[in-house]
Amino acid sequence: MARLGYYLELSDHYMPEIASTTPTSVPMNSVGIVKPELIHFNQPFTLACGRTLDNFELMIETYGLLNSDKSNAVLICHALSGNQHAAGFYDGDNKPGWWDAYIGPGKAIDTNHLYVVALNNLGGCDGSTGPTSLNPEDNQPWGSRFPPVRVRDWVHSQARLADHLGIEQWAAVVGGSLGGMQAMRWALEYPARVRHCVVIASAMKLTAQNIAFNQTARQAIMADPQYTNGEYLKHNTLPESGLGVARMIGHITYLSDDGMGEKFGRQLRSGTFEQGTDEPVEFQIESYLRHQGRKFAKAFDANTYILMTRALDYFDLAREYNDNPVEAFKKAKCNFAVMAFDSDWRFAPERSHEIATALLHANKNVFYARIASPYGHDAFLVPGQPRYEALFSSYMRKVISSCA
Amino acid sequence: MRLDQKIIENWVKPNAHILDLGCGDGRLLEHLKNTKHITGYGLEISEAGILGCVNRGINVIEQNLDDGLKNFADQSFDTVIMSQVLQTMHYPDKVLAEMMRVGREAIVTFPNFGHWRARWHLAIGGKMPVSDLLPFEWFNTPNIHFCTFKDFEVLCKQLNYTIIDRQVAAEKAPGKWLHPLRPNLFGETAIYRIRGY
């Protein structure tokens, strides 16, 4: 449990901090200094909602080398607040990418053998076309006018990216949480283009409780007067307090009760309960959450947060397959790895067990493991979990052996 | 390969769809895949077992058999195998009923508690049997429901299951030669093929 404390004190993304940023100090098992790359797509792209983007851009990063027959490419799909910076370090930054613990030379997703592609999804706020980009019609930021995006739109745009990179078939599509939903959608939309699908801490659809949390987060943003109906960039304001509260709500649900209790308990940051004093009291957890909220609100776009949570809510794997996940998965041709964490109550292991059950009835190759972890939903990001690492690495070795 | 697993192999039809309850590290499924071209899945709860399955590329679902098989459809497997696991179940009768529901037939193997060594331990030594097959002490054993061949057959009769095949295995002398004469006394392992009707 000491580790939990360590990671909680860090950023939103559980990034281990290293002392310095000079290349010599980059750990041996890191992909090293990386640079994002912006890819332009000039063909019109029609979204599930019916609206068409005349062109769009995706910010990507790649690690490792594509082999000569392009059979070793792995796509990393990010979750709610992720981006293209999945591994390695930006020059001058001492924080590695959000999944650095599991992507790199010798790591679970081994860049000595695999060519890894990570991107910022359409609608994101880290360089890809999204609410903070300019709407070509009026050269104003899209803001809340950016069309709603669904998981399938991301998958289709990622297929355009694969075309651009000359990748006919992914060795694996890998994702946790919302990323796992993209991986599953890939298996159904492009069965011939995926060999392995790795789904971690995910679900075939959200429960009502889960949608409720997202709605509360969205309401927190919209209730902020600075939100100005989503046109805050035009008005040079930022709904930081609303987005901060939204993040706090999310953050609480991504951790486990035990994990939070272990780290913070009822410790006070300031004040006292001694009788006869009226000194204001602040719990450690209050200060921690506020800090997390504030930090996130400065780095993330509120409209993107709304867009991403809606995509999460709308996702329903089997909706167009008569609500029958077995029928849905029968379309898939790939092998599946499904993992979940026992303390994850936002994407409970039961949801992953349902995925495994549906896959089994569809006669697909699958393994499912329920991993003991104190880290709640965020467990899929947290390093230093031997069982998770062993299973993940073992499966990815199968992926590597499937590359010519 | 354990003797009971060799017998299982003989009973499994080529290309069968198999569910292996308590599949361990997937060795039996891997063997059947190679020799009988079966398809199928294992259920397991041990971490080492599941990792072994993933290493071997064997389909495995982490699932506790004591919770039943409610996520499995009726008659969805040709054969449901349970090898040396029945005696660890909280409710062996309920597990058997689930096996009959999910599979067209079941193969069950278990250690024979009526074996003469076990009887000797208890009758003369006055202590719970500890042997190669059952290496645990009474207080730390995962084996909580022992039965003999006779007990098992009585249960099958009560539940109206048909015993299609029965084999007794004994690898050690004198059981090796004597088990055909008195299986309940000299057989170490029972291997039953049963049907739910």
Side-chain angles (χ1 to χ4, degrees), chain A residues 62-82:
Chain A
T62 67
Y63 324 111
L65 294 171
L66 188 59
N67 62 10
S68 57
D69 61 355
K70 303 187 174 184
S71 65
N72 69 333
V74 171
L75 176 67
I76 306 294
C77 302
H78 70 71
L80 198 58
S81 56

Side-chain angles (χ1 to χ4, degrees), chain A residues 67-351:
Chain A
N67 62 10
S68 57
D69 61 355
K70 303 187 174 184
S71 65
N72 69 333
V74 171
L75 176 67
I76 306 294
C77 302
H78 70 71
L80 198 58
S81 56
N83 56 24
Q84 70 282 354
H85 189 35
F89 297 83
Y90 286 156
D91 205 5
D93 190 356
N94 61 358
K95 255 174 22 183
W98 56 270
W99 223 9
D100 192 76
Y102 294 95
I103 302 169
K107 293 180 184 173
I109 301 173
D110 190 345
T111 50
N112 286 333
H113 300 278
L114 298 166
Y115 174 68
V116 177
V117 180
L119 76 154
N120 183 213
N121 276 334
L122 196 62
C125 53
D126 285 282
S128 293
T129 301
T132 56
S133 326
L134 297 183
N135 179 349
E137 276 172 25
D138 56 8
N139 262 338
Q140 294 288 321
W142 277 99
S144 55
R145 297 173 303 155
F146 194 80
V149 173
R150 296 193 204 155
V151 169
R152 63 176 59 251
D153 295 320
W154 290 334
V155 168
H156 295 314
S157 62
Q158 289 157 0
R160 294 266 183 105
L161 175 60
D163 295 340
H164 170 86
L165 298 169
I167 294 158
E168 185 52 44
Q169 185 188 56
W170 297 105
V173 180
V174 183
S177 189
L178 180 57
M181 291 172 167
Q182 293 160 58
M184 288 188 283
R185 186 58 81 198
W186 255 102
L188 305 189
E189 292 292 300
Y190 299 100
R193 302 191 71 174
V194 188
R195 279 206 304 283
H196 295 271
C197 178
V198 181
V199 183
I200 308 168
S202 193
M204 293 189 283
K205 57 184 171 191
L206 289 196
T207 60
Q209 187 197 45
N210 225 324
I211 295 169
F213 280 123
N214 286 340
Q215 171 61 0
T216 312
R218 288 189 292 265
Q219 285 301 320
I221 294 169
M222 291 176 189
D224 186 333
Q226 309 277 334
Y227 181 64
T228 60
N229 280 324
E231 306 279 279
Y232 45 86
L233 292 180
K234 252 193 234 172
H235 299 109
N236 268 320
T237 62
L238 278 180
E240 281 186 39
S241 77
L243 184 54
V245 173
R247 180 58 177 180
M248 286 162 76
I249 295 164
H251 205 81
I252 296 164
T253 68
Y254 302 147
L255 303 180
S256 74
D257 190 13
D258 285 350
M260 233 188 211
E262 183 84 20
K263 167 67 187 158
F264 302 102
R266 294 179 52 81
Q267 290 166 45
L268 298 185
R269 184 179 167 81
S270 60
T272 167
F273 284 117
E274 220 169 283
Q275 300 211 8
T277 71
D278 64 351
E279 202 186 321
V281 157
E282 189 184 32
F283 286 99
Q284 284 287 2
I285 183 65
E286 295 181 276
S287 134
Y288 167 76
L289 274 180
R290 245 199 342 271
H291 170 71
Q292 289 296 329
R294 210 179 297 133
K295 208 162 65 174
F296 183 75
K298 287 193 193 304
F300 208 79
D301 176 60
N303 283 316
T304 290
Y305 199 80
I306 292 172
L307 177 149
M308 296 275 172
T309 55
R310 285 205 168 119
L312 191 54
D313 292 356
Y314 297 162
F315 182 75
D316 184 346
L317 181 95
R319 189 190 286 120
E320 69 198 279
Y321 300 90
N322 300 312
D323 292 318
N324 180 351
V326 178
E327 193 182 317
F329 279 131
K330 276 188 177 153
K331 268 199 84 178
K333 289 189 173 139
C334 58
N335 301 319
F336 289 82
V338 182
M339 289 179 274
F341 301 92
D342 65 353
S343 58
D344 182 354
W345 53 283
R346 189 82 195 255
F347 288 76
E350 289 72 25
R351 304 289 83 74

Side-chain angles (χ1 to χ4, degrees), chain B residues 7-191:
Chain B
I7 294 164
I8 293 174
E9 184 191 332
N10 293 333
W11 287 350
V12 166
K13 291 183 199 83
N15 307 313
H17 194 48
I18 304 283
L19 180 64
D20 185 0
L21 305 180
C23 65
D25 60 11
R27 236 171 262 245
L28 176 63
L29 281 170
E30 185 184 45
H31 182 71
L32 295 174
K33 220 167 111 177
N34 293 337
T35 57
K36 296 279 180 147
H37 310 289
I38 60 117
T39 57
Y41 301 86
L43 302 189
E44 183 52 60
I45 47 169
S46 102
E47 293 185 10
I50 292 165
L51 183 59
C53 289
V54 176
N55 286 336
R56 289 191 159 74
I58 294 298
N59 294 320
V60 63
I61 310 284
E62 183 163 343
Q63 182 167 336
N64 190 340
L65 301 177
D66 277 322
D67 298 337
L69 303 173
K70 51 189 175 293
N71 55 320
F72 289 86
D74 293 358
Q75 303 291 293
S76 48
F77 289 88
D78 295 315
T79 305
V80 181
I81 297 172
M82 186 183 248
S83 178
Q84 304 286 20
V85 174
L86 189 70
Q87 73 280 0
T88 68
M89 295 288 97
H90 283 169
Y91 300 100
D93 55 335
K94 288 185 182 160
V95 177
L96 281 173
E98 281 287 80
M99 292 173 76
M100 294 305 167
R101 178 182 67 77
V102 168
R104 281 177 269 283
E105 62 175 45
I107 297 174
V108 183
T109 88
F110 56 87
N112 175 28
F113 207 66
H115 187 258
W116 69 270
R117 281 183 209 275
R119 298 187 197 199
W120 177 269
H121 254 277
L122 196 55
I124 307 301
K127 287 171 88 181
M128 290 299 280
V130 177
S131 68
D132 297 349
L133 266 180
L134 303 167
F136 300 95
E137 296 286 353
W138 66 273
F139 49 83
N140 63 8
T141 181
N143 304 313
I144 53 175
H145 280 116
F146 283 119
C147 67
T148 68
F149 294 2
K150 276 188 186 165
D151 289 325
F152 185 76
E153 289 183 16
V154 168
L155 178 65
C156 286
K157 202 164 183 190
Q158 269 175 17
L159 299 172
N160 285 322
Y161 300 154
T162 312
I163 295 171
I164 313 167
D165 271 312
R166 186 185 85 165
Q167 285 262 349
V168 172
E171 302 197 45
K172 274 194 191 155
K176 213 162 140 183
W177 310 295
L178 294 174
H179 72 77
L181 301 174
R182 295 287 300 277
N184 203 32
L185 190 59
F186 293 112
E188 288 165 10
T189 301
I191 309 110

Side-chain angles (χ1 to χ4, degrees), chain A residues 71 169 171-172 195-196 335 396-404:
Chain A
S71 65
Q169 185 188 56
R195 279 206 304 283
H196 295 271
N335 301 319
M396 292 310 293
R397 278 195 295 274
K398 299 277 157 205
V399 173
I400 291 167
S401 67
S402 79
C403 304

